[in-house]
Amino acid sequence: MAVFQEDIHNTAYEAKYREPRLESGGLINTAGRNCESLNGRWNFAADWYDTCRRADWFKEVTTNAAGLPQPVDWDWEGWERIPVPACWNLEKPELHYFEGTGVYTRTFRYVPKEPGERLILRFEGAAYNTCVFVNGTFVGSHDGASTPFNVDITAAVKTEDFSFTENRIVVTVDARRSPLRIPMDNTDWFLYGGIYRDVYLYRLPPVFIKDWFVRLATDGGIDADVYIANAEGGKVQGTVCLKIPELGVQAEAAVQDGKASFHVKANAERWSPESPKLYEVTLGFTAADGKTRDQTHDRIGFREIAVNGTDVLLNGKKIFLKGVSVHEDHFALGKTTNEDIIRQTIRDLKEMNGYYLRLAHYPHDARFAKIADEEGVLLWEEVPVYWAVAFDNPGTYADAENQLAELVLRDRNRASVIIWSVGNENADTDSRFAFMSGLAKKAKALDPTRPVSAACLINHDELRIEDRLTSVLDIIGINEYLGWYDPDFSKLPKILANSAPGKPVVITEFGGDARTGQRGTADDLWTEDKQKALYEQQIAVIKQCSYIAGMTPWIFYDFRCPRRLNRYQEHFNRKGLIDADRVRHKGAFYVMRQFYGE
Ligand code: GCU
């Protein structure tokens, strides 16, 4: 049957794009690697009815079986262009609430430099389901809006006729919300769409260093696991060399089953917010046949984060996590960020005398943890298992676990990251307990060095911190809105007195909305005066509670939110300590600055 007829009747067309899945198992650690950027203006069309994937536009069939020209509905070079990275919602007014599938396309030239070279295409983030096509071949599909993925496109690119051959990439990005996705279709933040983070090409040898995990060992030395991949699938034989020149570390280990492990003695200066010391770490691989070599490097801080009773210890010393929650939401760029925005956020945090951030509610741009490593900021990182996800749906669990694995693999070498969070504000049900316990176990399996947490709810009937999930958490996050959603603030001291969590508790959210410049009494909702008074009340109670080891009030900046529609909110959640303009500070900011400065 001719192509155009098939696309009309095939309602199960998405099944064509289930495999190959681009997931954490194939994720390559790209730290220290050279890359070629594919950022820039790509041709784009809002494909409202997903016709590209129904009718296989990427195959570029323009004649029928008899070779006669037939009309097509796509027009790569005739389409408008939008920037990559960007959220399409902010590129054109008519795309602001577009939640369908965007089709992106561009060409690139590729001239191999080394024999056997592999060409890897990597996306740092695209929301939500991304299908990648190269020269008419479907090369893979990824689910998840906030974690990186990569695909080996060596077999799909043309390399003959070197300098004149153009390779075409077509990418479909389906931003539809769904009750089965992570996050699901109801969130208190704006779900942007598009290729909103960077896109790169990497050239790797056929046998290469795929990943590594280098960290402080429990005996004060250094542990390292280095993973080697063979793109052609064969067995890997060879040696890995680990060097940390400043520590006089130079060690070699044989690769066994794709991994080389090290435990070396060293006396590394501990990384901390006061002294964010980073060491150059070089990794080298030499194949047994001496032919293939690969090397890369990373800058790593060595520190210990631990829990003891109700205390959180950094390098053996009890700390109070002086922080604030922050969304990856910018009034002009949406979920797309850049180094300037990240550095300004950290400057704002330090102006508030803080040194800890809850990167809510999903993995933020990879650069955040890298810059936090340099700046001495501690981070809570989280997967968007938010509110009422489909806890009893196996496909949803697989999606959540894969996003968690992609986050942990991406950032486990970052000293700044101290806590993995498996979710936020989920009802305490059996299916949720099984789902999130599974995620906690997965996080520990990939990284036994960091505590696992989640933002849990208070049992408001019993006025107690009570949530079965806390039994599998190392640190208990608690969201409480006494003084705002529950106006009877007197309950907070009762709740804290009624609870005996036996583990550190971090108040992951408290706060209230204030329209910048709106003034009134301490009881007038939506005013800066009410927000400021609420913060003063919260701090006065929280500071009395010995098992509270930190706080990240909600939230640093006002952020875009389609649920917030009253005259003070106007499509923004106004709980920010700083206005969405990221300039005007509200009165409550100075309350936090004073408390953290004590
Ligand atoms: C919840 C939720 C946040 C939300 C906040 C609010 O606790 O975790 O995502 O924005 O409360 O209601 O403002």
Side-chain angles (χ1 to χ4, degrees):
M1 184 159 61
V3 166
F4 71 88
Q5 286 170 348
E6 193 218 335
D7 87 271
I8 294 171
H9 306 296
N10 177 7
T11 55
Y13 68 95
E14 290 183 273
K16 294 187 283 185
Y17 308 110
R18 289 265 179 281
E19 301 294 333
R21 304 198 62 68
L22 307 177
E23 297 186 314
S24 61
L27 192 60
I28 296 167
N29 188 330
T30 54
R33 297 285 189 185
N34 293 325
C35 61
E36 291 145 81
S37 171
L38 289 181
N39 290 350
R41 301 188 72 76
W42 291 40
N43 292 99
F44 174 85
D47 180 9
W48 295 87
Y49 292 177
D50 220 0
T51 308
C52 177
R53 294 195 297 169
R54 293 174 192 272
D56 298 349
W57 287 351
F58 55 91
K59 290 180 179 169
E60 301 190 61
V61 173
T62 55
T63 57
N64 68 8
L68 299 174
Q70 76 179 53
V72 294
D73 298 317
W74 41 271
D75 187 349
W76 304 145
E77 299 300 333
W79 285 348
E80 63 182 326
R81 290 175 174 235
I82 71 167
V84 167
C87 303
W88 64 53
N89 317 79
L90 300 178
E91 286 306 309
K92 291 174 68 177
E94 59 270 36
L95 293 179
H96 188 70
Y97 285 113
F98 174 53
E99 295 187 334
T101 297
V103 184
Y104 293 80
T105 184
R106 65 159 286 169
T107 60
F108 71 96
R109 289 200 174 86
Y110 168 57
V111 180
K113 290 178 181 167
E114 300 292 337
E117 177 178 279
R118 310 301 297 189
L119 188 64
I120 308 297
L121 172 62
R122 181 183 177 99
F123 294 79
E124 290 297 326
Y128 180 94
N129 165 265
T130 308
C131 292
V132 184
F133 308 91
V134 176
N135 295 330
T137 305
F138 170 55
V139 292
S141 167
H142 179 266
D143 279 327
S146 303
T147 44
F149 54 98
N150 48 243
V151 55
D152 184 329
I153 59 171
T154 311
V157 289
K158 304 170 200 159
T159 54
E160 72 280 355
D161 183 20
F162 281 167
S163 57
F164 303 106
T165 304
E166 299 236 322
N167 295 281
R168 176 166 292 282
I169 295 181
V170 173
V171 181
T172 62
V173 182
D174 154 16
R176 287 170 297 178
R177 287 173 298 121
S178 157
L180 300 181
R181 286 182 164 178
I182 295 288
M184 45 92 74
D185 57 343
N186 179 35
T187 60
D188 199 43
W189 75 91
F190 189 94
L191 293 174
Y192 297 94
I195 305 176
Y196 72 92
R197 288 185 182 157
D198 297 324
V199 184
Y200 296 120
L201 285 172
Y202 289 87
R203 298 163 186 262
L204 294 174
V207 184
F208 59 91
I209 300 168
K210 177 184 177 194
D211 189 18
W212 55 92
F213 184 19
V214 182
R215 69 274 181 194
L216 198 63
T218 48
D219 68 1
I222 288 172
D223 282 338
D225 294 311
V226 183
Y227 302 87
I228 309 295
N230 181 336
E232 280 127 14
K235 188 169 164 47
V236 174
Q237 288 184 313
T239 309
V240 171
C241 178
L242 167 71
K243 287 181 191 167
I244 312 175
E246 202 179 335
L247 292 173
V249 168
Q250 175 156 339
E252 287 202 352
V255 176
Q256 288 178 354
D257 300 329
K259 182 168 93 166
S261 295
F262 300 80
H263 174 74
V264 296
K265 294 222 172 306
N267 189 13
E269 180 187 330
R270 297 297 188 264
W271 182 94
S272 71
E274 300 75 28
S275 170
K277 171 69 180 171
L278 298 176
Y279 287 91
E280 271 298 322
V281 178
T282 303
L283 303 165
F285 167 71
T286 307
D289 63 9
K291 285 192 196 127
T292 305
R293 293 174 182 281
D294 186 26
Q295 88 162 28
T296 187
H297 59 92
D298 200 348
R299 294 176 69 216
I300 292 179
F302 298 101
R303 56 106 189 92
E304 182 198 28
I305 187 75
V307 164
N308 179 27
T310 59
D311 296 341
V312 173
L313 306 179
L314 179 67
N315 300 322
K317 217 171 74 183
K318 177 180 175 181
I319 55 167
F320 185 85
L321 296 171
K322 296 181 176 181
V324 65
S325 294
V326 62
H327 257 304
E328 189 170 57
D329 185 84
H330 188 273
F331 65 92
L333 299 177
K335 206 172 182 298
T336 296
T337 191
N338 58 43
E339 187 164 335
D340 292 344
I341 293 172
I342 293 169
R343 292 190 182 281
Q344 184 58 51
T345 303
I346 290 174
R347 279 194 292 274
D348 290 341
L349 174 70
K350 293 185 174 178
E351 185 198 343
M352 197 169 74
N353 295 320
Y355 52 70
Y356 170 60
L357 285 168
R358 176 185 180 211
L359 300 188
H361 282 297
Y362 36 73
H364 289 211
D365 190 285
R367 287 168 290 186
F368 211 116
K370 287 179 185 155
I371 294 170
D373 273 7
E374 297 166 15
E375 293 294 326
V377 171
L378 302 171
L379 299 177
W380 158 304
E381 293 199 317
E382 183 165 300
V383 285
V385 176
Y386 181 91
W387 286 357
V389 304
F391 290 115
D392 47 10
N393 180 44
T396 302
Y397 178 78
D399 185 355
E401 187 180 82
N402 180 62
Q403 291 187 44
L404 174 67
E406 288 171 341
L407 168 61
V408 174
L409 291 175
R410 188 192 74 178
D411 285 355
R412 62 184 177 178
N413 288 311
R414 306 277 70 83
S416 51
V417 178
I418 57 167
I419 296 171
W420 302 119
S421 166
V422 294
N424 179 80
E425 279 200 356
N426 318 94
D428 185 355
T429 63
D430 292 347
S431 57
R432 172 269 193 158
F433 182 77
F435 189 104
M436 294 178 77
S437 302
L439 293 181
K441 198 162 154 240
K442 180 69 175 179
K444 287 281 184 202
L446 288 170
D447 170 19
T449 71
R450 288 180 177 84
V452 172
S453 188
C456 302
L457 289 166
I458 281 172
N459 179 332
H460 278 275
D461 300 335
E462 304 293 324
L463 285 186
R464 201 169 34 239
I465 295 173
E466 191 173 64
D467 179 326
R468 284 179 289 170
L469 189 66
T470 59
S471 63
V472 301
L473 302 178
D474 302 303
I475 293 173
I476 300 169
I478 289 292
N479 290 359
E480 50 90 359
Y481 280 91
L482 280 309
W484 185 254
Y485 294 121
D486 184 336
D488 180 358
F489 186 80
S490 71
K491 292 179 186 171
L492 184 59
K494 292 176 193 145
I495 289 165
L496 298 181
N498 278 353
S499 307
K503 301 177 176 177
V505 168
V506 177
I507 302 295
T508 29
E509 291 182 33
F510 71 78
D513 287 68
R515 181 71 190 248
T516 310
Q518 192 77 22
R519 304 310 304 266
T521 71
D523 298 321
D524 292 334
L525 295 181
W526 314 109
T527 64
E528 289 194 41
D529 308 84
K530 162 76 184 169
Q531 187 190 46
K532 181 170 180 287
L534 189 157
Y535 270 71
E536 287 161 345
Q537 286 180 307
Q538 283 277 353
I539 288 168
V541 169
I542 289 171
K543 66 196 287 189
Q544 305 298 329
C545 183
S546 63
Y547 58 71
I548 292 179
M551 61 162 84
T552 47
W554 194 262
I555 187 167
F556 214 5
Y557 308 103
D558 294 349
F559 60 95
R560 201 168 263 115
C561 181
R563 297 174 67 246
R564 305 297 183 161
L565 305 177
N566 77 29
R567 72 189 70 180
Y568 306 101
Q569 298 164 323
E570 294 180 320
H571 297 253
F572 276 77
N573 183 308
R574 300 282 181 195
K575 292 188 182 68
L577 291 169
I578 300 174
D579 190 85
D581 65 13
R582 294 183 173 239
V583 172
R584 290 176 294 165
H585 293 41
K586 303 174 196 175
F589 174 91
Y590 302 98
V591 173
M592 287 310 303
R593 186 166 75 166
Q594 183 184 346
F595 173 55
Y596 284 166
E598 283 170 3

